[in-house]
Amino acid sequence: MSAHWGTAINGFSGSTAGQFGVGGADLGIPYDRSRFATGHTGFLFGDTFTGDSDGSGTWLGSPTLLYSPQPPDATTTFDAAPGGGQAAQILKYTHNADNGYGVEVSRIPNDAFVDPSGRTWLTYTSVHDWNAANDQYGALFCGLAYSDDDGRTWTDYATIWKNDGTDGYQGWSPLMMQTFAGLGNNNDDGYLYILSKEWGRNHNRNGPILLRVPWQQLTVKADYQYWGWNGHAWTWGNPTPTPLFNGLGPIGELSVKNIQGTWVMAYFDVTGYCISTRTAPAVDQVWTAPKQQIRGQVPWWQFWIPSFPQLYGGCIHPLSTSPTDVTLYVSQWNTNTGSPYWVMQFDGISP
């Protein structure tokens, strides 16, 4: 195991996140801020509390954002919140209220990236009901927001993907949880590649879908292209997307990044109760079989393997050292006691 194998980065006494008011929080989605400060990253958190456990202290809301100066293989620390001072919810909306789309409990970040013009984009999911018996009714939409000042202020974009069946999937929209995989062909083909899946962890149609859009047209739905099987071959421009992995069971949070020319995928494998990874030489080529990396439990005869109960997430650091030394951030939340409720760092992962 690496030196950072399950190292918590928040949610404990003495955490560098605490000086900015961030205690218990999950997800910890890193994105590359090198345009503003070489080698620096932003970290997006979900529902955040000033106390170190779920529900303790003041609820700051979701998403919150902190900045980190550390390279991936060092212990992740934080040195600022947007605008200085204390961290706060970065999107302007009201919890447990109708903000124009139906009652929203919270908005949960999925991913972020800085485009070549310097605009930072955030993709998030609007949660309607955490406890919906059917995931179909758990989310309202997937939305976009942008910042032109390195995350200090954010604007919601009108473009949203509704989870109401209007996309032809009878309410099981595969566009609810999106990850910005990156710009293609060493950033010179003009497309932003996105992988996406349904909301939640209980329903899945053979894994995520793949789509792309010219990065300047990110908000123009008509300019999105699906990667799909047309009956004879896989091709771009298919009228409907084809799930990438036939027979894949339900998965949770999804993260895909281009690490020095290799596309790396990580996700919460619900059936395997673990974080699994895959790789591909190109985002639209064949992916490797899944590899279990971080496990929620292990059989008693493998007692030497560490386990992390109630884990989820699995967010790839976009500046990971190499395709064979990837850093992941994994959430752990003890839903019985509320503690721990934090994000853990795992280095040295070879997908």
Side-chain angles (χ1 to χ4, degrees):
M1 302 298 177
S2 71
H4 303 106
W5 191 264
T7 301
I9 65 173
N10 68 294
F12 64 94
S13 177
S15 164
T16 57
Q19 64 186 309
F20 305 107
V22 173
D26 66 351
L27 298 181
I29 302 166
Y31 69 92
D32 185 2
R33 290 182 55 246
S34 292
R35 181 182 182 92
F36 310 110
T38 302
H40 287 214
T41 50
F43 278 78
L44 290 157
F45 295 94
D47 285 306
T48 302
F49 299 88
T50 57
D52 285 335
S53 59
D54 172 53
S56 66
T58 301
W59 180 32
L60 299 183
S62 172
T64 57
L65 173 61
L66 292 178
Y67 299 143
S68 173
Q70 253 64 48
D73 272 355
T75 301
T76 299
T77 61
F78 303 102
D79 64 352
Q86 297 293 286
Q89 179 175 288
I90 60 175
L91 298 181
K92 296 179 181 179
Y93 71 99
T94 303
H95 292 267
N96 300 306
D98 188 340
N99 298 286
Y101 307 97
V103 174
E104 300 180 64
V105 175
S106 196
R107 294 184 178 181
I108 303 303
N110 294 321
D111 207 354
F113 96 110
V114 180
D115 74 23
S117 75
R119 173 170 283 184
T120 305
W121 290 95
L122 165 68
T123 171
Y124 65 88
T125 302
S126 168
V127 180
H128 172 63
D129 184 356
W130 284 115
N131 299 311
N134 190 323
D135 278 348
Q136 178 176 351
Y137 307 110
L140 290 176
F141 63 89
C142 181
L144 287 169
Y146 68 88
S147 172
D148 287 327
D149 54 12
D150 187 22
R152 288 186 289 277
T153 60
W154 293 83
T155 301
D156 253 319
Y157 219 92
T159 296
I160 64 169
W161 289 263
K162 293 182 179 180
N163 193 36
D164 62 359
T166 54
D167 60 7
Y169 287 93
Q170 295 77 50
W172 289 115
S173 172
L175 299 167
M176 286 302 99
M177 299 174 71
Q178 302 183 15
T179 178
F180 296 131
L183 300 172
N185 296 340
N186 297 317
N187 299 344
D188 64 4
D189 77 348
Y191 285 102
L192 172 66
Y193 291 86
I194 300 168
L195 282 89
S196 184
K197 63 174 291 290
E198 300 92 336
W199 170 250
R201 304 182 186 127
N202 297 326
H203 176 78
N204 193 66
R205 288 192 305 265
N206 297 321
I209 63 169
L210 172 62
L211 51 159
R212 69 181 185 181
V213 63
W215 66 264
Q216 302 96 326
Q217 306 296 108
L218 181 58
T219 63
V220 183
K221 288 186 178 181
D223 288 347
Y224 280 72
Q225 296 180 1
Y226 291 125
W227 177 245
W229 177 257
N230 64 9
H232 306 282
W234 287 84
T235 182
W236 285 106
N238 215 45
T240 58
T242 304
L244 294 181
F245 307 122
N246 185 37
L248 179 66
I251 65 173
E253 296 76 17
L254 173 71
S255 178
V256 181
K257 291 290 174 280
N258 185 341
I259 308 298
Q260 300 176 15
T262 296
W263 296 81
V264 180
M265 177 187 299
Y267 54 87
F268 174 43
D269 179 343
V270 175
T271 303
Y273 194 26
C274 65
I275 306 300
S276 290
T277 58
R278 299 174 185 253
T279 64
V283 72
D284 55 3
Q285 292 190 21
V286 177
W287 291 81
T288 59
K291 184 176 180 180
Q292 292 190 354
Q293 300 287 357
I294 303 159
R295 299 164 70 177
Q297 64 182 20
V298 296
W300 65 266
W301 61 86
Q302 293 181 330
F303 60 88
W304 64 90
I305 299 175
S307 62
F308 301 87
Q310 294 179 285
L311 82 174
Y312 57 99
C315 306
I316 300 169
H317 199 304
L319 300 177
S320 290
T321 302
S322 76
T324 57
D325 185 359
V326 173
T327 296
L328 291 180
Y329 295 88
V330 176
S331 297
Q332 186 180 37
W333 176 20
N334 186 323
T335 55
N336 296 317
T337 65
S339 180
Y341 177 58
W342 58 22
V343 178
M344 302 174 293
Q345 176 180 350
F346 294 83
D347 294 338
I349 290 175
S350 179

